[in-house]
Amino acid sequence: MKISSFRPPDRILMGPGPSNVHPRVLEAMARPTIGHLDPEFIRMMDELKTLLRDTFLTKNDVTFPISGPGSLGMETAVVNMVEPGMKVVVCVNGAFGGRIKEMIGRHGGIPLVVEAPWGEPIDPAKLEEVLSQNKDTKVVAFIHAETSTGARSDVAALAKIARKYGCLTIADTVTSLGGIPVRVDEWELDVAYSGSQKCLSCPPGLSPITFSERAVNAVKNRKTKVQSWFMDVGLVLSYWSGAKRTYHHTAPINALYGLHEALLLVQEEGLENAWARHKKNAELFRAGLEKIGLKPFVTGEASLPELAIVTVPDGVDEAAVRNHLLNKFNIEIGAGLGQLAGKIWRIGLMGYTSNEKNVNLCLEALKDALKR
Ligand SMILES: *Cc1c(COP(=O)(O)O)cnc(C)c1O
């Protein structure tokens, strides 16, 4: 077999992530690799931290991208905040809530679950009930935008209750950052992490994270060492501390050029304008879905503009529709996960993908697929 250079097909990425990458981000990533201790690279890292603070709407000093995908951001949050034997309340309304619960258990925490049915947000009253019965809880974890079901939880309300019971919070903002408001300081979130490939128009592989001063102090006052060397925020930070920095690992240099450019694009557009664009295209898409007789699985306040969840109509082969979209239109959409497999499609309008042309093309493609 003769192997030649890999040339990916031209796809329109309308699944639950990755989304299409902005051409300026790809161009930035193709620039020459320099040393990770080069003073020019350090200057770029400092700018990257500033851009991330502006995107998370925080003044947190400890704000930087983890060298790894969103799941590594999730595990970094957990491994730093959770000590063996610690009670942690975890809100589970989909696959990602289930994943963080699994991580809490693996790192020795005792997960107490607040559940909501798949497709619904977490009920803040239920969180309060569990916390009032478990006053020795130290940390509360929740998912802002549950990508497996398309439900948005009220993170501000959940964080407020957690603070009332003296708990620190971990917020998953992987699918929300850049797409809908994420206000780390205003909502007093303690640890928030995200991913590069959803609403930030960047390839996968980086996980922006931010720690409040309260969170940093909690890590400093741990009785036990952070269970992971690589993810220990105290150690990684020495690498992200400007001119004083010391070697920790070799940063994914060109990937960081990409994130720098992606965040610059957000700044140029304006964060609020980016939220408004996601909202406008989502409304257009939803109106179009209704016209062709497709029903949303999540409605109202809990629905996410960056991710439409569509119920597969009775008698329709959901995989055949996805294959038709891919083969005839080069459009990728997502299938349901876990208990929603075969029942829904997950159609993303995230980051660079969120534009009117893609909305119309996807509606056209769905109409064509359903005709068959
Ligand atoms: C995609 C996603 C993750 C995981 O990110 P990866 O980059 O795939 O590891 C975590 N949480 C949520 C809510 C996500 O949508």
Side-chain angles (χ1 to χ4, degrees):
M1 183 175 68
K2 186 180 173 299
I3 297 180
S4 50
S5 294
F6 178 65
R7 305 256 165 216
D10 242 331
R11 302 287 200 211
I12 299 167
L13 301 179
M14 302 187 76
S19 52
N20 284 114
V21 176
H22 195 288
R24 263 178 57 187
V25 173
L26 289 176
E27 191 221 320
M29 291 174 76
R31 290 175 192 154
T33 303
I34 59 174
H36 70 137
L37 301 170
D38 189 306
E40 273 302 290
F41 189 68
I42 295 171
R43 184 175 68 75
M44 193 281 297
M45 286 171 100
D46 283 339
E47 287 181 359
L48 193 42
K49 289 197 293 184
T50 302
L51 288 165
L52 273 180
R53 284 187 197 106
D54 293 346
T55 311
F56 272 124
L57 296 176
T58 183
K59 295 200 164 57
N60 285 344
D61 188 40
V62 180
T63 305
F64 63 99
I66 300 277
S67 304
S71 302
L72 199 75
M74 183 188 277
E75 197 146 21
T76 299
V78 170
V79 80
N80 282 280
M81 302 314 292
V82 176
E83 285 197 77
M86 185 187 269
K87 268 193 190 177
V88 180
V89 168
V90 55
C91 301
V92 181
N93 59 339
F96 290 104
R99 180 175 296 185
I100 198 165
K101 172 184 173 244
E102 169 71 17
M103 286 180 184
I104 290 163
R106 283 184 185 224
H107 292 299
I110 303 164
L112 307 172
V113 177
V114 175
E115 256 183 307
W118 284 39
E120 287 178 25
I122 297 294
D123 178 359
K126 279 204 178 149
L127 171 63
E128 176 133 32
E129 193 183 307
V130 172
L131 286 176
S132 67
Q133 287 158 10
N134 294 278
K135 296 224 164 88
D136 51 344
T137 302
K138 299 277 191 262
V139 173
V140 177
F142 37 74
I143 312 289
H144 189 194
E146 186 37 273
T147 320
S148 63
T149 71
R152 174 204 320 225
S153 288
D154 185 348
V155 160
L158 297 175
K160 197 166 171 197
I161 292 165
R163 303 266 303 137
K164 180 174 158 192
Y165 288 87
C167 295
L168 296 177
T169 51
I170 297 176
D172 177 310
T173 64
V174 176
T175 293
S176 47
L177 192 69
I180 54 173
V182 173
R183 303 179 188 277
V184 168
D185 283 2
E186 191 183 315
W187 298 345
E188 298 188 88
L189 303 175
D190 290 300
V191 185
Y193 59 87
S194 190
S196 46
Q197 79 276 31
K198 311 242 169 151
C199 298
L200 297 176
S201 318
C202 198
L206 291 171
S207 177
I209 197 164
T210 184
F211 286 76
S212 72
E213 217 173 290
R214 291 183 299 270
V216 172
N217 285 334
V219 179
K220 278 189 187 144
N221 292 321
R222 285 173 62 107
K223 290 187 214 71
T224 56
K225 272 191 183 178
V226 174
Q227 298 91 310
S228 157
W229 178 87
F230 186 74
M231 286 180 273
D232 182 333
V233 72
L235 299 179
V236 193
L237 254 194
S238 62
Y239 191 57
W240 279 93
S241 52
K244 300 191 304 280
R245 70 204 288 269
T246 55
Y247 171 68
H248 175 266
H249 66 284
T250 310
I253 294 162
N254 292 55
L256 292 177
Y257 299 167
L259 184 61
H260 182 279
E261 194 70 18
L263 296 170
L264 201 58
L265 282 161
V266 172
Q267 193 179 78
E268 286 172 15
E269 180 178 14
L271 195 51
E272 307 218 337
N273 294 334
W275 300 336
R277 172 171 52 85
H278 282 87
K279 187 161 180 274
K280 180 175 134 257
N281 292 322
E283 282 164 3
L284 210 63
F285 188 54
R286 265 153 236 245
L289 286 173
E290 206 174 308
K291 265 202 204 132
I292 55 175
L294 288 172
K295 302 228 155 23
F297 177 73
V298 182
T299 52
E301 276 288 285
S303 68
L304 289 166
E306 65 275 40
L307 184 66
I309 308 292
V310 180
T311 305
V312 176
D314 284 339
V316 170
D317 178 348
E318 78 81 21
V321 169
R322 277 188 293 116
N323 288 334
H324 185 73
L325 261 57
L326 192 68
N327 297 329
K328 184 166 170 197
F329 295 91
N330 268 318
I331 298 176
E332 177 186 273
I333 62 167
L337 285 183
Q339 52 177 268
L340 293 176
K343 297 185 179 142
I344 56 163
W345 292 300
R346 295 183 297 153
I347 306 180
L349 281 166
M350 301 182 190
Y352 188 56
T353 300
S354 174
N355 63 49
E356 203 173 316
K357 188 165 145 250
N358 288 339
V359 166
N360 291 330
L361 186 68
C362 187
L363 289 169
E364 205 52 49
L366 283 168
K367 210 157 70 180
D368 188 67
L370 291 172
K371 247 189 356 225
R372 275 149 211 263

